[in-house]
Amino acid sequence: MSTCNITLAGSIGSGKSTVGRMLAAALKSEFISTGMIFRSIGKNSKMTPLQTNLAAEINTAIDHQVDNGIIERAKSTKPFVMDSRMAWHFVPDSLKVYLYASPQLSAQRVFSDTSHARANEQFASVTETRKSIQVRRESEIARYYSLYGVKIDDITNYDLFIVSDGAEPNEIVDVILESLPNKSQGSWIKTKQLVPLISAKELHSIPRRADHDDTAHNPLAIQLVNGYGFVLDTPYHLAKVLMQGDQFTTFEHSRCPQSELRQTFLDLTSQKEIDPFHEWEELTGTKLAISNEDMKSLDHYCIHLL
C-alpha cells in the first residue's frame, strides 16, 4: 500500500481526528493533530479554542509556531497522517482531503463530545455550540488568508472532498484508502443523502440494476445544501446511482438559483397525496435520509448553501 502522506482539513467536528487515527493505524503511519497542539497552546494560556483563534488574529506567533512544526515534520521520510487546517498547503505532495460536515452535524458532534480533548469546549446547548463554531471558522478563514493568501474553504485546494453527513468513519477511511494509490481526485457523498428534485414518475423507463453499469459511476450533478445533495441531474442517472444501494457515490458541484431550488421543492412537496421521496425509495430500494416532512422548512436548508 502507498506510503504517501495524507493531510486532513475541513469542517470543525467533521470527524478529522477519528478518521485520521484510523487511517494512520491502517497505514502504520504516525498520526499528528495540529488541533491538539493549538488547544495545548490555548490551555497553557487558559483560553478556549475560540479565544485562541481570536488571539491568533493579533498574535501571528501562535500560528507560526504550529505551522513551522508542520514544515519541519514534512522533511522527514517517515509517513504521516495529519489533521491540520494548513498542512495541505505546506505538504503539497500529500493526498489532500477535505471532510465536510453540515453546520448542524458539526455542532451536535462538538456538543456531544465530552472527551478530554474538548474539555474547554463545552456549551449550554447545540445552538450555542453552532454559533461558537461559526465565529471560530470565520476567524480561521480570515486569519489564514491574511497570513498566507490562501482560502482554506476553497475546495479546489483538495484532492478529495467527502461529505461526512450520514457516513461512518470506517466508510470515509475506505474512500480515502481506495484513492490513495493514484492520488485520485473527486467529491463523494452517501447515496442516502441525495435529494431528488423530480418525482420518480417522471422516469420514462426503469433502468436495469446498476451494479456493473459504468454510467452509474459517473459523477452526479448536485447542489450541496446542509449535508444533503440536491440532485440537478437526470432522473435516469439518479435512479442508476440509487440502485447501487447505500454507499458513497461521486458527484460534481453544481448550482441553481436559491429561489428556483426552493420553488422546485415547494411544487414537489406540496402534493399532499404523495411522498416523492418514498416513491424513489420504493423504486430503487435505497432509504433516503430526508423525508417529505423535513422539507416543509426549505429555508432551513437553502440558507446553508456551500
Side-chain angles (χ1 to χ4, degrees), residues 57 133-143:
E57 291 182 1
I133 288 175
Q134 182 178 351
V135 173
R136 177 178 162 191
R137 186 61 173 171
E138 290 172 353
S139 169
E140 292 174 345
I141 292 171
R143 191 169 78 250

Side-chain angles (χ1 to χ4, degrees), residues 37-90:
I37 298 173
F38 202 79
R39 288 190 187 95
S40 177
I41 293 172
K43 187 176 181 180
N44 291 338
S45 301
K46 297 182 179 180
M47 294 187 294
T48 66
L50 175 56
Q51 291 169 333
T52 309
N53 271 279
L54 296 177
E57 291 182 1
I58 302 172
N59 182 8
T60 58
I62 295 175
D63 278 310
H64 288 309
Q65 180 179 342
V66 175
D67 297 336
N68 287 337
I70 297 174
I71 295 171
E72 287 303 311
R73 179 61 184 83
K75 295 177 182 178
S76 170
T77 57
K78 184 179 178 181
F80 60 82
V81 177
M82 186 176 291
D83 164 14
S84 165
R85 302 283 187 268
M86 285 297 299
W88 63 270
H89 178 68
F90 295 117

Side-chain angles (χ1 to χ4, degrees), residues 5 15 24 53 68 73 150 168 180 256 262 273 303:
N5 294 323
N53 271 279
N68 287 337
R73 179 61 184 83
V150 298
E168 296 297 326
L180 187 57
C256 75
R262 293 187 68 255
E273 70 275 10
I303 61 174

Side-chain angles (χ1 to χ4, degrees), residues 1-289:
M1 187 174 288
S2 173
T3 57
C4 172
N5 294 323
I6 301 174
T7 52
L8 298 171
S11 309
I12 297 168
S14 59
K16 298 184 298 297
S17 294
T18 300
V19 169
R21 289 189 178 90
M22 293 174 68
L23 279 171
L27 296 169
K28 295 181 172 56
S29 298
E30 180 185 6
F31 174 68
I32 304 167
S33 172
T34 56
M36 293 299 294
I37 298 173
F38 202 79
R39 288 190 187 95
S40 177
I41 293 172
K43 187 176 181 180
N44 291 338
S45 301
K46 297 182 179 180
M47 294 187 294
T48 66
L50 175 56
Q51 291 169 333
T52 309
N53 271 279
L54 296 177
E57 291 182 1
I58 302 172
N59 182 8
T60 58
I62 295 175
D63 278 310
H64 288 309
Q65 180 179 342
V66 175
D67 297 336
N68 287 337
I70 297 174
I71 295 171
E72 287 303 311
R73 179 61 184 83
K75 295 177 182 178
S76 170
T77 57
K78 184 179 178 181
F80 60 82
V81 177
M82 186 176 291
D83 164 14
S84 165
R85 302 283 187 268
M86 285 297 299
W88 63 270
H89 178 68
F90 295 117
V91 193
D93 60 345
S94 63
L95 178 70
K96 299 177 281 292
V97 181
Y98 189 102
L99 297 187
Y100 166 87
S102 62
Q104 185 65 22
L105 178 62
S106 295
Q108 185 62 59
R109 284 178 172 172
V110 173
F111 178 76
S112 302
D113 188 349
T114 57
S115 66
H116 177 71
R118 295 193 186 275
N120 57 348
E121 296 179 61
Q122 300 303 304
F123 302 92
S125 66
V126 174
T127 300
E128 184 182 326
T129 306
R130 183 166 171 168
K131 290 178 180 178
S132 177
I133 288 175
Q134 182 178 351
V135 173
R136 177 178 162 191
R137 186 61 173 171
E138 290 172 353
S139 169
E140 292 174 345
I141 292 171
R143 191 169 78 250
Y144 292 125
Y145 185 76
S146 175
L147 283 171
Y148 305 111
V150 298
K151 297 180 179 180
I152 61 173
D153 60 338
D154 182 351
I155 62 177
T156 62
N157 292 324
Y158 308 93
D159 300 309
L160 296 179
F161 178 94
I162 303 174
V163 179
S164 64
D165 289 69
E168 296 297 326
N170 63 294
E171 295 176 309
I172 297 173
V173 169
D174 287 344
V175 169
I176 297 172
L177 291 178
E178 289 172 8
S179 303
L180 187 57
N182 300 314
K183 290 181 66 176
S184 57
Q185 300 181 337
S187 297
W188 297 81
I189 189 171
K190 287 299 293 290
T191 52
K192 66 182 178 183
Q193 295 298 120
L194 297 175
V195 183
L197 279 168
I198 192 170
S199 169
K201 289 186 173 64
E202 297 297 322
L203 278 173
H204 297 297
S205 63
I206 299 176
R208 64 183 175 83
R209 281 287 164 182
D211 301 309
H212 304 291
D213 190 335
D214 289 341
T215 60
H217 298 284
N218 292 337
L220 191 68
I222 71 170
Q223 180 158 341
L224 188 61
V225 183
N226 210 34
Y228 290 107
F230 286 45
V231 180
L232 305 176
D233 213 314
T234 66
Y236 192 82
H237 190 182
L238 171 61
K240 284 187 173 183
V241 170
L242 289 177
M243 280 183 165
Q244 296 177 100
D246 181 22
Q247 61 180 31
F248 267 104
T249 188
T250 58
F251 72 92
E252 59 184 20
H253 298 265
S254 301
R255 278 194 176 279
C256 75
Q258 181 175 334
S259 58
E260 180 180 328
L261 186 66
R262 293 187 68 255
Q263 189 58 51
T264 298
F265 268 90
L266 284 172
D267 294 340
L268 186 61
T269 60
S270 63
Q271 305 176 54
K272 296 181 180 179
E273 70 275 10
I274 66 169
D275 183 334
F277 308 119
H278 183 61
E279 286 183 341
W280 279 99
E281 291 172 341
E282 286 195 327
L283 173 70
T284 64
T286 295
K287 177 70 176 175
L288 299 176

